[in-house]
Amino acid sequence: MTLERHLGDRLSAFSAAETRIQTPCLLIDLAVVRQRYAQLERAFPTAAIYYAVKANPSPEVIGLVRDNGGCFDIASRYELDKVLGMGVSPSRVSFGNTIKKARDVAYFYEKGVRLFATDSAADLAQIAEHAPGAQVYVRVLTEDRPGADWPLSRKFGCEPGMAIDLIKQARALGLWPRGVSFHVGSQQRDLAAWGAALDRVKKIFTSAWQAGIALDLINLGGGLPGNYVNPTPELRRYAEVIEQAIAERFRHTPVKLIMEPGRYLVADAGVLVTEVVLVSRKDDSGPRWVYVDAGKFGGLIETMDESIKYPIYTNAQNEAATEPVILAGPTCDSADILYEKHQYPLPLSLKSGDRVYFVGTGAYTTSYSAVEFNGFPPLASFYYDSQAVQVVSDADKKKCAA
Ligand SMILES: Cc1ncc(COP(=O)(O)O)c(C=O)c1O
């Protein structure tokens, strides 16, 4: 496969945008984000979409979700300020982070947010104090399953028994316990993960009902995939399985569904354009090391443990003759190795100055990149729209423009 084939009819818009940047730079095609949003709405017609802003907090993506009527899963007061500053009503916001300061709860409440996630008694108490009467949903732990390339199973959520206690406490504290949330792990390739999580949700709903509390909200979290090297089922399959799992468990309970997609909406829209800094060997017979100008600290942190394997292409001549390489970033840190176990076959002709394209990098790249490690600036980004006549916006023009 080549980049040309990968991008298909989006190639010319990509190439036009590429002429306007210096590497390293993330190019985001907003047409893809728009398409993913529409696909998600079609696949899950009854679910409200709360975009997980952390995946790509650019004004371009936030504006697109806002204009399509979407809502927002917010992790911090800084994300909140950004989203509200773009004219989004606080009624379209959920404070989805269970780890928060009391003064941030108060801040969200003052700004008009009324929907909060929680997973502990201490957090619930501060919500009750600083956001009186607010709606809360309790995040339940999910099982540790191998299907997620970026697991989120340990740090967030509580066991179902504790979730039930928190729901009862929420009522006693004058809050409005609405329901339950979970996250099956990001880039979840195992469709059965949702059914297993929904079993837990069902158990909590039933116990709450027995305690006289009618819950009505299920937050399905994230987990829907981007297209990387390891294949995933189609979105349609996810939708079928999730819909069936809900129907089986909540046939007699009216539930409102929300979902918090991050990766699915933005990953496939991005191509991180990098330049080869150096190609070398440690000895005559060892593998080639290819050093590019964006590494773990320049946006590619999800290569940690080689968890996310992006499709990679180059513009080198003689693409046919290839050899497996070790790929690494530009900083003076030995952790800055991208792929060593998984050795991508890259052209033998690859040399300094060539371009290496990391495809599917629209999610969790710019927002993760270091501020000044080794002096390198944060990853720049450039937004274009392959369905528009001309480039619509370029957020980081100053940083990016050649
Ligand atoms: C609370 C919450 N919701 C949604 C998401 C988005 O998950 P994904 O990118 O897998 O869609 C995350 C990611 O960390 C999250 O923490």
Side-chain angles (χ1 to χ4, degrees):
M1 186 77 126
T2 59
L3 182 68
E4 287 71 18
R5 280 190 57 201
H6 189 104
L7 292 174
D9 58 8
R10 298 193 289 116
L11 179 67
S12 62
F14 171 84
S15 302
E18 193 186 358
T19 60
R20 301 180 60 177
I21 57 123
Q22 284 177 340
T23 69
C25 188
L26 177 70
L27 266 60
I28 295 269
D29 184 352
L30 291 169
V32 176
V33 185
R34 212 169 35 241
Q35 187 195 47
R36 291 290 180 276
Y37 194 94
Q39 285 166 339
L40 209 53
E41 275 191 317
R42 268 200 302 278
F44 296 91
T46 61
I49 296 176
Y50 279 67
Y51 171 54
V53 172
K54 57 182 80 73
N56 182 318
S58 66
E60 287 79 2
V61 174
I62 292 170
L64 190 151
V65 173
R66 176 199 61 201
D67 296 346
N68 278 276
C71 302
F72 296 87
D73 161 44
I74 298 291
S76 69
R77 63 195 292 163
Y78 310 103
E79 281 187 358
L80 179 69
D81 286 346
K82 195 167 195 177
V83 166
L84 296 186
M86 292 186 62
V88 172
S89 157
S91 63
R92 289 163 70 180
V93 165
S94 155
F95 194 174
N97 194 346
T98 58
I99 315 298
K100 46 193 174 302
K101 295 176 181 169
R103 60 179 177 275
D104 289 340
V105 173
Y107 187 80
F108 273 66
Y109 190 74
E110 273 163 32
K111 295 285 178 185
V113 176
R114 293 292 178 268
L115 185 60
F116 293 79
T118 192
D119 65 3
S120 68
D123 181 55
L124 191 65
Q126 62 188 13
I127 297 174
E129 187 178 345
H130 298 286
Q135 304 172 42
V136 288
Y137 55 88
V138 178
R139 181 156 168 183
V140 68
L141 278 166
T142 51
E143 288 166 28
D144 210 356
R145 301 171 75 95
D149 287 340
W150 197 259
L152 294 166
S153 56
R154 283 180 55 248
K155 183 173 167 189
F156 305 102
C158 58
E159 291 295 346
M162 178 170 280
I164 294 160
D165 290 345
L166 291 176
I167 282 161
K168 291 179 194 166
Q169 280 170 34
R171 163 69 64 85
L173 288 166
L175 294 165
W176 178 3
R178 283 295 307 273
V180 180
S181 73
F182 59 85
H183 196 305
V184 292
S186 202
Q187 190 68 11
Q188 178 56 263
R189 290 180 283 125
D190 176 8
L191 295 173
W194 277 268
L198 284 162
D199 280 341
R200 293 178 164 213
V201 177
K202 170 75 179 167
K203 189 173 159 188
I204 298 164
F205 266 59
T206 304
S207 299
W209 177 257
Q210 286 161 354
I213 302 171
L215 301 176
D216 71 346
L217 182 74
I218 301 178
N219 180 342
L220 300 164
L224 298 175
N227 286 308
Y228 305 126
V229 167
N230 291 331
T232 54
E234 283 177 26
L235 182 67
R236 188 175 44 83
R237 284 293 299 140
Y238 284 88
E240 282 165 5
V241 168
I242 295 170
E243 193 185 319
Q244 193 186 344
I246 292 168
E248 283 166 6
R249 291 161 183 78
F250 297 95
R251 201 176 306 280
H252 306 296
T253 317
V255 287
K256 183 175 173 351
L257 294 178
I258 70 180
M259 62 196 317
E260 299 173 337
R263 193 181 300 279
Y264 177 79
L265 281 181
V266 288
D268 295 340
V271 178
L272 174 48
V273 185
T274 69
E275 181 181 313
V276 176
V277 180
L278 198 72
V279 180
S280 69
R281 292 183 200 270
K282 306 286 177 198
D283 58 62
D284 287 346
S285 58
R288 274 183 314 158
W289 285 68
V290 174
Y291 303 90
V292 291
D293 60 1
K296 272 211 162 60
F297 307 99
L300 294 172
I301 192 71
E302 287 202 322
T303 59
M304 203 158 79
D305 299 328
E306 308 194 11
S307 304
I308 300 292
K309 296 186 189 71
Y310 302 104
I312 293 175
Y313 306 105
T314 76
N315 70 345
Q317 303 299 313
N318 308 320
E319 284 275 349
T322 63
E323 185 187 51
V325 304
I326 298 172
L327 262 171
T331 63
C332 299
D333 191 315
S334 57
D336 195 8
I337 297 173
L338 302 173
Y339 300 105
E340 189 169 10
K341 286 196 291 266
H342 181 84
Q343 295 194 352
Y344 286 79
L346 294 189
L348 279 169
S349 61
L350 196 68
K351 57 180 188 323
S352 303
D354 283 345
R355 288 200 164 178
V356 175
Y357 302 96
F358 292 79
V359 170
T361 38
Y364 305 113
T365 46
T366 50
S367 53
Y368 260 140
S369 89
V371 183
E372 203 185 26
F373 187 50
N374 282 218
F376 292 108
L379 178 62
S381 54
F382 186 92
Y383 291 76
Y384 68 102
D385 189 329
S386 63
Q387 285 177 359
V389 178
Q390 54 184 189
V391 170
V392 289
S393 96
D394 39 2
D396 279 327
K397 201 168 172 181
K398 281 191 219 85
K399 275 183 276 170
C400 245

